Amino acid sequence: MQKLVDDGSFALAICVTMLITGIIPPTIQAIHKPVRHFVAYRRRSVQKSKGELGLRILSCVHNPRSVPALISLLRACQPTKKFPLTVFALHLLEQTSGYTHASTTMIGQHTTSTSVDRSHEPQSDHIAKAFENFERTFGVGVVTVRTLTTISPYSSMYEEICDTAEDKGIALIILPFHKHQSIDGGMEETSPFFREINDNVLNNAPCTVAILVDRGFGGGSGDGHDVTNINSHNIVVLFFGGPDDREALSLAWKMAEKPNVKLTVFRFIPTDDALKLNDAITNEMGALKLIIDNERERQRDEDYINVFRYKISNKQSSIVYLEKVVNDGEETLKLIKSIDNVHDLFIVGRGRGMVNPLTASLIDFSECPELGAIGDLLASPDFSMTTTSVLIVQQYVGAANEGGSSGAGTPTSQYSELYDNFHNINQMSPSNSNGAFAQRRVKKFSTGWN
């Protein structure tokens, strides 16, 4: 019987088939990112989290160092039976080369499988115990804690965070800053990968995201037992306007519902000249949509602030509301530096998508644009209030929250250049302390302007 295919051709066909089978699927998996279909739930922000369902938070932890500040922040949220707190503590672990299981693995704290690498267990157990102690402090029906661990490459860790937030119906993701405070009070980089994770979560999260710059907020031992820290907090909100700032104020307002937390809200209002300048620059850019969006956001700011002022009037003496009229970034910087250094937490909006004449000139000085102009300013080691922690908030706003990179949503370089031409902020007098501070940052980052 004559062979239809000789042995050589048959062997070649088998090799080609095996090659295609082995290469094509992983290649497609690597380059194709399927669109995630969001689960339908409405409470994707702090502002929309109301009633008996309370606030659902995903608290991300890389190591035990960040646990004390995270628990202090959760405690400051003032959970009650009428407004309970549900916390998912997610321990983030890098998948090492020796780990042979699937690229990502979600592990409940009580998992007993012997096939999982358990070298991380001492850290995970410490983190789980701290959050469990926090849960017991408030009792049943007030705080519910669930601890999880994710093992994945740093490159895809943000996907695990976003998917977990989606699955659990989270309203607020809290991420630790990629730097930690050193013994001398400066900020040391923990890992450059943490910054990339934060940036990707900001750009892909299905809910509000907050980054915590910890400078010892709340003190405490980190075991979740310390209840003395609940006695007092002094919180400051710097309100410039926009959805992120409204979300920041909403969270701070929730924290100030009990008198043990004192809240001071500084609302920065641009002068008429600053607004005219802002409109002139926007017109120069031909950004009609930007003008309309800014007007819409200003009206929403007014409505929200009016409700806030009405509800706190003669009712909450622990809340102070102040309005400051300023003309430009230099005056803004001077006013922020004049705030008493008696506060332990700043809460500010990231300012994404907003063009504000009071912060636009500060954007080019940003070392960490993912924090926004004001968040980066407060997190800078050059800033005088180096003992105050900072929480930077980005509100979930649907499709506008997708895409981009570090600094996404900040005014364009074209806007910044036009603004600098008007204000000449890099020509401030060296004798002026605020100008000198700005000059140091300009000098540090001026190479990026060329």
Side-chain angles (χ1 to χ4, degrees):
M1 182 177 178
Q2 188 178 3
K3 290 184 179 180
L4 295 178
V5 180
D6 59 56
D7 292 341
S9 299
F10 181 75
L12 179 62
I14 293 296
C15 290
V16 170
T17 302
M18 292 177 65
L19 188 65
I20 293 174
T21 304
I23 292 178
I24 299 300
T27 302
I28 293 176
Q29 186 177 11
I31 64 176
H32 174 62
K33 300 295 182 182
V35 178
R36 290 187 293 119
H37 297 285
F38 285 171
V39 178
Y41 72 95
R42 294 184 178 181
R43 293 175 175 83
R44 297 180 182 269
S45 66
V46 177
Q47 278 186 264
K48 292 184 178 180
S49 298
K50 301 175 182 179
E52 295 181 356
L53 292 177
L55 182 61
R56 299 175 68 85
I57 296 177
L58 180 64
S59 184
C60 298
V61 182
H62 291 287
N63 52 60
R65 181 192 290 120
S66 59
V67 171
L70 287 170
I71 289 181
S72 294
L73 185 64
L74 295 172
R75 185 182 288 116
C77 289
Q78 310 288 7
T80 63
K81 285 194 173 183
K82 291 185 177 180
F83 190 82
L85 193 65
T86 302
V87 179
F88 293 88
L90 182 62
H91 188 194
L92 305 171
L93 292 170
E94 180 189 13
Q95 176 186 318
T96 59
S97 57
Y99 187 78
T100 57
H101 272 260
S103 60
T104 55
T105 305
M106 296 300 298
I107 310 166
Q109 70 183 74
H110 300 299
T111 297
T112 58
S113 171
T114 58
S115 61
V116 177
D117 176 12
R118 297 190 174 278
S119 61
H120 66 275
E121 279 198 346
Q123 277 197 356
S124 295
D125 289 345
H126 176 83
I127 292 168
K129 186 176 294 185
F131 279 94
E132 287 169 2
N133 291 337
F134 163 66
E135 179 182 29
R136 283 195 290 268
T137 299
F138 285 91
V140 179
V142 179
V143 172
T144 302
V145 171
R146 298 287 180 268
T147 56
L148 300 168
T149 300
T150 180
I151 302 174
S152 63
Y154 283 138
S155 60
S156 61
M157 195 169 281
Y158 77 94
E159 295 179 357
E160 294 301 303
I161 296 171
C162 294
D163 288 345
T164 302
E166 188 71 37
D167 293 341
K168 306 300 182 184
I170 299 299
L172 173 64
I173 299 173
I174 302 177
L175 301 167
F177 189 42
H178 70 276
K179 296 181 180 181
H180 65 273
Q181 191 172 32
S182 59
I183 298 175
D184 62 0
M187 299 297 289
E188 294 181 353
E189 187 170 58
T190 308
S191 169
F193 297 108
F194 295 174
R195 182 179 187 180
E196 183 180 348
I197 292 168
N198 291 352
D199 193 38
N200 284 325
V201 172
L202 285 168
N203 294 325
N204 294 278
C207 60
T208 289
V209 180
I211 296 178
L212 177 61
V213 181
D214 176 34
R215 295 190 176 115
F217 178 64
S221 60
D223 60 5
H225 275 306
D226 189 1
V227 296
T228 58
N229 297 322
I230 198 172
N231 288 336
S232 65
H233 283 300
N234 286 284
I235 298 174
V236 175
V237 170
L238 305 181
F239 189 94
F240 292 86
D244 294 349
D245 283 33
R246 293 194 297 271
E247 185 79 341
L249 178 55
S250 178
L251 180 60
W253 191 3
K254 177 72 186 72
M255 293 179 177
E257 287 184 356
K258 293 184 180 179
N260 59 285
V261 174
K262 294 183 179 179
L263 171 62
T264 304
V265 179
F266 288 92
R267 186 186 184 191
F268 291 76
I269 301 175
T271 61
D272 290 340
D273 289 342
L275 286 175
K276 289 177 182 177
L277 171 63
N278 187 71
D279 292 341
I281 296 172
T282 310
N283 285 329
E284 179 98 15
M285 295 171 64
L288 177 61
K289 183 179 185 301
L290 196 60
I291 297 174
I292 296 173
D293 288 346
N294 277 351
E295 269 312 312
R296 185 184 296 117
E297 291 301 330
R298 287 174 195 166
Q299 186 57 52
R300 289 173 178 170
D301 291 339
E302 287 297 329
D303 294 342
Y304 190 75
I305 288 293
N306 287 338
V307 171
F308 171 75
R309 295 183 67 181
Y310 173 76
K311 289 191 174 182
I312 68 171
S313 60
N314 301 321
K315 293 179 182 179
Q316 289 177 276
S317 58
S318 61
I319 300 179
V320 177
Y321 173 81
L322 301 169
E323 291 186 348
K324 302 293 181 180
V325 179
V326 288
N327 193 55
D328 52 27
E330 183 179 358
E331 291 185 11
T332 300
L333 177 60
K334 182 177 179 180
L335 199 154
I336 293 175
K337 290 184 68 177
S338 71
I339 298 174
D340 294 336
N341 194 15
V342 296
H343 309 283
D344 51 2
L345 181 66
F346 279 101
I347 302 182
V348 298
R350 186 187 174 205
R352 170 208 35 159
M354 293 298 296
V355 175
N356 192 306
L358 306 183
T359 60
S361 59
L362 302 175
I363 291 167
D364 281 328
F365 308 148
S366 296
E367 182 179 1
C368 300
E370 70 272 16
L371 302 182
I374 299 301
D376 177 80
L377 175 70
L378 296 172
S380 169
D382 295 331
F383 199 63
S384 59
M385 296 180 184
T386 54
T387 60
T388 306
S389 298
V390 188
L391 187 70
I392 299 94
V393 179
Q394 173 183 282
Q395 185 185 55
Y396 174 76
V397 290
N401 200 35
E402 299 172 7
S405 59
S406 275
T410 57
T412 63
S413 57
Q414 180 186 4
Y415 182 96
S416 298
E417 182 180 352
L418 286 165
Y419 200 97
D420 286 341
N421 288 339
F422 278 97
H423 277 284
N424 264 340
I425 193 167
N426 59 323
Q427 298 297 325
M428 293 181 187
S429 172
S431 62
N432 181 289
S433 61
N434 301 304
F437 172 74
Q439 278 188 320
R440 287 199 300 274
R441 305 196 81 189
V442 170
K443 184 177 180 181
K444 186 174 181 181
F445 303 111
S446 60
T447 55
W449 297 355
N450 297 327

